[in-house]
Amino acid sequence: MAAVARGRGLSRAWLCRRAGPGCGRHYRAALCTELKQPLAIEEVASRPVRPHEVRVDVHFCGVNFADILVCRGQYQEKPQLPFTPGMEFSGTVLETGTDVSTVKEGDRVIGVSGFNGMAEECIIDPKVIAAAGSDEKCKLAMQKGAQSTVNYGQGGLKEAVRKLVGSGGVSVAIDTVGGDVFLEALRSLAWEGRIVVVGFAGGTIASVPANLLLLKNVSAMGLYWGRYKEQNFPVFSRTLSSALQYCQQGRIQPHIGAVFKLEEVNDAFLHVIQRKSTGKTTTAVHYAGKPMEIWRERLCLAWRVL
């Protein structure tokens, strides 16, 4: 997991002090090749960034006691040797993957990553894990941009997440299912993590064990988005306008899983109740176009929010 915050961009001249990305260059890094031994400074081959990754020219890297513990093998997470320590850094974006839109080349950033900050450059991976109840839905989530998926119908969600991200846990969990899935997601949070309750599609509303909130300093909060229309309309309007803009820009592409005629509305209800729905299930009332065109009409035209 990694988190990045952006600052003011730097000039192109600063970026040109280093060779261009992806050209087989090397960079210096502090390597732990043996536990409880001094770190070695070695030349490391640079690798291409994947679609969801960001390459950062590291200017400063913090030195924390946790870095020392991990190099002694005494930290709760034990990366495979050899590895580069360094959990927090600041620097400049050198390159972004094709799926990254939050930062761009030249942006000044600060970041928190598991390890790899003590080097002239590092690649960070803002990871998204999608949890679903079937292999079909997991496959769809991967096609839509998730880096990893978990089928919670085949085993414990907490253990599956731990195998993906380590014992540190995830920073944010968004839960629309409720019940046992909510509890497993809550137990998967990292220190000072946050779980956002959006709904209870599984039919069960779980009780929050207060001791779990205390042990990791985590937060549990709800998001009833539609209520903003009455309580804080400017927020409601801004978020809907952002969704329209993102759709027009192609940054979001809603998936239409099924379209039913108005006369088939009861079949549509049954489709959702039986957990067959993927993405958005909709009814075509006065529209005969293709499913995606329905959403382009609903989301991508610059309609005034009423």
Side-chain angles (χ1 to χ4, degrees), residues 25 32 56 71 93 124 143 170 172 177 217 228 234 252 273 291:
R25 71 183 188 280
C32 179
V56 176
C71 291
V93 174
I124 59 173
Q143 294 172 351
V170 297
V172 179
V177 179
N217 275 22
Y228 279 97
I252 57 174
I273 292 171

Side-chain angles (χ1 to χ4, degrees), residues 93-277:
V93 174
L94 285 173
E95 182 184 7
T96 62
T98 55
D99 294 344
V100 176
S101 59
T102 53
V103 294
K104 64 182 183 301
E105 180 182 337
D107 282 347
R108 296 173 63 184
V109 295
I110 59 175
V112 179
S113 61
F115 305 102
N116 75 7
M118 291 185 182
E120 290 182 327
E121 73 175 45
C122 69
I123 292 179
I124 59 173
D125 175 12
K127 182 175 288 186
V128 174
I129 303 172
S134 69
D135 290 338
E136 177 189 6
K137 293 180 180 181
C138 287
K139 182 179 179 180
L140 176 62
M142 291 290 289
Q143 294 172 351
K144 293 297 181 179
Q147 282 75 60
S148 303
T149 59
V150 172
N151 183 346
Y152 55 74
Q154 296 181 347
L157 177 63
K158 177 185 176 182
E159 181 61 22
V161 171
R162 189 190 68 80
K163 291 179 180 179
L164 290 172
V165 303
S167 59
V170 297
S171 302
V172 179
I174 301 174
D175 175 51
T176 62
V177 179
D180 291 339
V181 173
F182 166 82
L183 295 174
E184 288 281 292
L186 179 63
R187 292 185 172 94
S188 301
L189 290 177
W191 170 258
E192 293 189 338
R194 175 170 43 175
I195 187 167
V196 183
V197 179
V198 180
F200 314 100
T204 303
I205 300 176
S207 297
V208 179
N211 63 311
L212 295 183
L213 305 182
L214 175 65
L215 291 175
K216 290 185 178 180
N217 275 22
V218 300
S219 303
M221 62 178 295
L223 177 59
Y224 183 3
W225 177 71
R227 188 70 179 271
Y228 279 97
K229 188 174 181 180
E230 289 77 32
Q231 298 294 329
N232 193 335
F233 185 78
V235 171
F236 177 83
S237 178
R238 285 198 304 269
T239 55
L240 192 54
S241 296
S242 295
L244 292 168
Q245 182 180 10
Y246 291 160
C247 188
Q248 289 171 329
Q249 295 172 346
R251 296 171 63 180
I252 57 174
Q253 299 177 353
H255 174 76
I256 310 302
V259 178
F260 293 84
K261 298 177 181 178
L262 182 61
E263 295 79 8
E264 300 170 330
V265 63
N266 293 306
D267 294 331
F269 276 26
L270 185 62
H271 183 77
V272 174
I273 292 171
Q274 293 177 339
R275 303 183 65 184
K276 295 180 179 179
S277 60

